């Protein structure tokens, strides 16, 4: 899932970005409503986490504008306004969910996962031979055995599964899974692939190394 966080509190925005990234989500952060509207129009997001109290244009106005312009992106509103009338106002403006500040991070992450499960336009379950990747529940199994993956390892497996049968260049994995540019001195992809293969055990050959290019996930291995 690609998530846009709209929050003018730098400390909170950084905290949310880090927490969501550690769960394997791709995260963009903006600090004002006008920029948020531009981002939502220009890019495809699976979820927007939107603070109500923004400078100049508040979250309620952002919600209304986004809906008026035809976007159906799910919006989770964050606000210190916990009274029922404010909640109703947020939902009527176009928000899909509402979380009062201060909030528990575990609850926020649970709501994000739930939103992912509801996204009918996403094929949440990917199957490649004995490998089954459930992106909504963030679970991977091989021959029915659950594989204990870190969030980044899961994101890597999910991306390779989505592109099953195609050789995915190392540079593409860095850009899509780590959201970073090519670094010839980094072996981060190789290290993660090695760890995943060890966890796959007898099915390690599912991930094929194509020397000088990248990796391919295929049902029968190389």
């Amino acid at each position: 899932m690609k998530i846009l966080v709209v929050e003018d509190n730098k400390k909170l925005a950084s905290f949310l970005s880090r927490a969501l990234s550690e769960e394997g989500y791709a995260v963009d952060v903006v600090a004002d409503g006008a920029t948020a509207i531009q981002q939502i129009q220009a890019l495809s997001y699976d979820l927007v986490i939107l603070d109500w109290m923004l400078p100049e244009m508040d979250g309620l106005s952002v919600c209304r504008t986004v809906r008026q312009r035809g976007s159906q992106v799910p919006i989770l509103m964050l606000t210190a306004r916990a009274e029922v009338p404010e909640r109703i106002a947020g939902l009527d403006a176009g928000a899909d969910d509402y979380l009062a500040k201060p909030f528990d991070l575990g609850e926020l992450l649970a709501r994000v996962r739930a939103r992912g499960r509801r996204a009918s336009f996403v094929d949440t379950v990917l199957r490649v031979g004995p490998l089954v990747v459930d992106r909504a529940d963030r679970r991977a199994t091989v021959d029915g055995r659950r594989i204990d993956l870190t969030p980044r390892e899961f994101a890597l497996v999910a991306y390779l599964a989505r592109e099953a049968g195609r050789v995915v260049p190392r540079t593409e994995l860095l850009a899509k899974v780590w959201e970073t540019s090519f670094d010839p001195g980094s072996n981060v992809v190789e290290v993660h692939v090695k760890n995943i293969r060890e966890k796959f055990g007898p099915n390690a050959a599912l991930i094929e190394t194509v020397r000088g290019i990248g990796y391919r996930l295929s049902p029968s291995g190389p």
Side-chain angles (χ1 to χ4, degrees):
M1 289 176 66
K2 189 170 182 62
I3 299 174
L4 177 65
V5 174
V6 189
E7 173 60 67
D8 64 316
N9 182 309
K10 292 183 179 179
K11 186 175 180 180
L12 178 55
S14 177
F15 170 74
L16 288 173
S17 177
R18 184 172 63 253
L20 291 165
S21 296
E22 287 175 354
E23 290 294 313
Y25 300 112
V27 185
D28 290 335
V29 177
V30 298
D32 64 88
T35 304
I37 292 170
Q38 291 174 0
Q39 288 280 99
I40 292 168
Q41 288 183 304
L43 300 172
S44 177
Y45 290 101
D46 299 301
L47 176 66
V48 175
I49 297 177
L50 176 65
D51 182 36
W52 183 315
M53 299 299 291
L54 295 170
E56 298 181 13
M57 176 183 283
D58 65 16
L60 214 59
S61 300
V62 172
C63 244
R64 291 195 185 103
T65 302
V66 166
R67 296 305 185 218
Q68 287 169 1
R69 296 185 181 184
S71 174
Q72 297 302 312
V73 61
I75 296 175
L76 168 59
M77 184 85 78
L78 300 180
T79 179
R81 301 184 175 190
E83 298 300 320
V84 171
E86 281 74 21
R87 295 186 184 188
I88 292 173
L91 294 170
D92 284 346
D96 298 274
D97 202 354
Y98 195 104
L99 192 58
K101 295 180 179 179
F103 55 83
D104 179 82
L105 177 61
E107 181 180 0
L108 182 137
L109 293 176
R111 289 172 184 259
V112 172
R113 290 192 297 270
R115 180 52 53 184
R117 288 193 293 271
R118 293 183 202 133
S120 59
F121 53 84
V122 175
D123 293 326
T124 59
V125 178
L126 303 171
R127 293 178 174 83
V128 185
L131 172 67
V132 178
V133 179
D134 188 327
R135 293 188 288 180
D137 286 337
R138 308 189 66 76
R139 183 177 67 245
T141 61
V142 176
D143 282 334
R145 175 176 62 91
R146 182 162 185 167
I147 308 299
D148 185 19
L149 300 172
T150 68
R152 193 69 67 182
E153 288 169 353
F154 180 86
L156 178 56
V157 169
Y159 192 82
L160 288 171
R162 196 185 77 177
E163 302 296 326
R166 179 174 77 87
V167 178
V168 183
R170 180 176 176 277
T171 50
E172 182 177 332
L173 292 172
L174 283 169
K176 298 297 186 179
V177 178
W178 279 268
E179 294 195 296
T180 186
S181 58
F182 176 66
D183 179 2
S186 172
N187 67 342
V188 65
V189 178
E190 289 79 2
V191 169
H192 278 71
V193 168
K194 177 178 179 292
N195 292 338
I196 292 167
R197 281 173 171 157
E198 289 177 353
K199 293 178 179 182
F200 277 9
N203 295 283
L206 281 169
I207 303 179
E208 175 190 358
T209 299
V210 181
R211 192 171 298 278
I213 302 177
Y215 299 92
R216 174 170 50 210
L217 187 66
S218 56
S220 56

